Amino acid sequence: MIENPMDVLLQFPVRKSKKQKQEFRDAVTLYLRTMGYDVTVEPGSFGAKNIVIGNPATAEYLVTAHYDTPAVLPFPNLITPCNFWPFLGYQLLLTVLIFLAATVAVLILALCGISAEIASRLWSLSLFGIVVLMLIGPANKHNANDNTSGVVTVLETAKSMPESARSNVCFVLFDLEEAGLLGSSSYQSHHKKQTGKQVVLNLDCVGDGDEIVMFPTNKLKKDVSRMEQLRGICGKWGKKSIALREKGFAYYPSDQKNFPLGVGIAALRRSKRAGLYCSRIHTNKDTILEETNVNILRAAIVSMIVCGAVK
């Protein structure tokens, strides 16, 4: 039973199997209904089950996060969303490692005397198997940042939203993001008319980092009034900060990409070489969820929706 959003970190740390997801959905539904929210579980493609909190038909805003747990990897999923060359270099390195792993596996079998034709087929199967394991393999038991942090922030924001403003916002927890943004894609297809006009604030990996950055879609960047709203919550929040990435290279791979007016929101660290980055996720080092970040985002989002972005 969830009594406070941070309980998710201890009570439902892994949300990968059908049973784990069902138990989580049941607890979230009970928790939010005690606060007067309408909660529905909406089925989608490939077995996705999205948790919809509020009324999508009346909402001007969607506040979202994915709740499924990623697969564990032997190396971190490094993201440098504002620096093209490290981003490209890491993707190339990852591709090389995948091909190398498949090749080594087949070479070992070749030494056992299998034919070249069979070896070629096994190489293709090995390559496919590695990619599948990266997407839907064994659960990473440590996922405080990716994406328990987003789930907790959505629940905290829903908890803090005044009843007078609830008709203007809908909260959605997406399933199967880690398998290829499948839950959010299904949601967008089911609510295409509404989502074409809604600002989607998608929280993904917001628990580990001092610089919280918003990544708006190109279409949203052209909307003067809505961009002004986002700018209204930017600036220093104590020792932390919120920034809006409006120019230059920006690529943050998450569910907001499925929505015309999507905004990806992430907490990032900074280094001299890579600039802003997110690391540790998909490994056993993903153990940091700073409650300060949750509280800042909760306050910022509520202020934007209720007060027109007045801090």
Side-chain angles (χ1 to χ4, degrees), residues 3-310:
E3 295 182 357
N4 292 292
M6 285 294 290
D7 291 346
V8 174
L9 185 62
L10 297 176
Q11 295 184 21
F12 303 98
V14 180
R15 304 167 297 275
K16 186 77 169 177
S17 69
K18 289 184 178 180
K19 181 180 178 182
Q20 289 165 344
K21 289 182 179 182
Q22 185 63 58
E23 290 175 348
F24 169 74
R25 288 192 296 266
D26 289 344
V28 166
T29 298
L30 178 61
Y31 173 70
L32 290 164
R33 283 179 176 169
T34 61
M35 290 187 283
Y37 279 101
D38 290 328
V39 184
T40 59
V41 176
E42 185 177 279
S45 303
F46 300 98
K49 293 185 178 180
N50 299 319
I51 306 171
V52 182
I53 306 148
N55 187 353
T58 64
E60 183 181 351
Y61 301 91
L62 295 184
V63 180
T64 68
H66 75 88
Y67 71 88
D68 57 313
T69 296
V72 65
L73 297 179
F75 43 81
N77 182 16
L78 176 66
I79 302 173
T80 57
C82 303
N83 195 327
F84 174 75
W85 292 111
F87 178 86
L88 178 63
Y90 187 79
Q91 300 306 311
L92 291 174
L93 176 61
L94 189 59
T95 302
V96 169
L97 288 174
I98 292 171
F99 275 84
L100 183 62
T103 301
V104 169
V106 171
L107 284 175
I108 292 173
L109 292 174
L111 293 175
C112 297
I114 64 172
S115 67
E117 181 180 355
I118 294 176
S120 176
R121 292 178 180 178
L122 287 175
W123 183 84
S124 298
L125 287 173
S126 298
L127 194 62
F128 178 75
I130 291 170
V131 172
V132 169
L133 283 173
M134 291 176 65
L135 293 175
I136 59 173
N140 183 23
K141 295 181 180 180
H142 304 278
N143 53 85
N145 192 29
D146 183 18
N147 188 33
T148 299
S149 66
V151 171
V152 170
T153 305
V154 166
L155 297 180
E156 279 286 0
T157 306
K159 177 183 176 182
S160 301
M161 190 64 61
E163 289 189 25
S164 59
R166 289 183 181 180
S167 63
N168 203 31
V169 58
C170 181
F171 303 91
V172 187
L173 295 174
F174 296 125
D175 195 5
L176 296 186
E177 187 269 354
E178 299 291 350
L181 314 184
L182 299 178
S184 59
S185 177
S186 292
Y187 181 89
Q188 196 275 337
S189 296
H190 293 161
H191 302 274
K192 197 167 187 178
K193 184 177 180 180
Q194 293 96 332
T195 56
K197 301 176 181 178
Q198 293 167 329
V199 175
V200 180
L201 305 171
N202 184 60
L203 302 153
D204 193 352
C205 300
V206 296
D208 182 12
D210 292 336
E211 298 186 48
I212 299 169
V213 183
M214 298 184 287
F215 298 91
T217 60
N218 289 330
K219 184 174 181 178
L220 183 53
K221 289 178 183 179
K222 299 175 183 178
D223 191 317
V224 176
S225 63
R226 282 167 166 163
M227 288 295 288
E228 191 59 31
Q229 281 189 309
L230 293 173
R231 293 188 195 102
I233 60 173
C234 291
K236 283 288 185 180
W237 291 76
K239 295 182 180 180
K240 308 274 185 172
S241 66
I242 299 179
L244 180 63
R245 184 73 173 181
E246 299 185 61
K247 298 180 180 180
F249 175 74
Y251 182 81
Y252 194 78
S254 191
D255 287 306
Q256 80 281 347
K257 295 176 68 61
N258 280 324
F259 301 93
L261 303 177
V263 185
I265 303 175
L268 303 169
R269 293 173 174 265
R270 183 181 289 276
S271 72
K272 291 183 179 180
R273 292 184 178 180
L276 293 169
Y277 71 94
C278 174
S279 64
R280 300 175 178 168
I281 58 175
H282 292 221
T283 71
N284 60 10
K285 294 183 179 181
D286 182 2
T287 58
I288 298 175
L289 198 176
E290 296 186 67
E291 199 166 357
T292 300
N293 289 19
V294 175
N295 292 331
I296 287 171
L297 281 165
R298 169 190 55 77
I301 293 169
V302 169
S303 71
M304 184 174 73
I305 293 173
V306 176
C307 308
V310 177

